[in-house]
Amino acid sequence: MSNYQHILVAADFSKEFDSVMAKAMELQKLYNARLTLIHVVEYTGAMYTGEIPLPEDLDL
């Protein structure tokens, strides 16, 4: 196995996220690596009303 220096965890906060994060933290400790958590939020017109029309079936 490689010697990890930086671990990036994409957080979607699903039901599996806790176990994924636990594994990432385990690897971070094992390799004394840097651990970064990222959560991406897609831009939508709802943030700025009237700017971009949203599809009616959009599930935010």
Side-chain angles (χ1 to χ4, degrees), residues 20-57:
V20 169
M21 192 63 197
K23 183 64 176 180
M25 290 172 62
E26 179 183 319
L27 290 171
Q28 183 270 331
K29 289 176 186 173
L30 181 65
Y31 293 108
N32 194 29
R34 199 168 143 206
L35 180 63
T36 302
L37 176 70
I38 185 169
H39 179 71
V40 177
V41 177
E42 184 176 354
Y43 168 81
T44 66
M47 294 175 186
Y48 302 100
T49 58
E51 194 173 301
I52 298 174
L54 297 174
E56 291 180 25
D57 61 346

Side-chain angles (χ1 to χ4, degrees), residues 10-18 37-41:
D12 64 358
F13 304 110
S14 65
K15 63 182 178 180
E16 294 87 6
F17 176 71
D18 288 343
L37 176 70
I38 185 169
H39 179 71
V40 177
V41 177

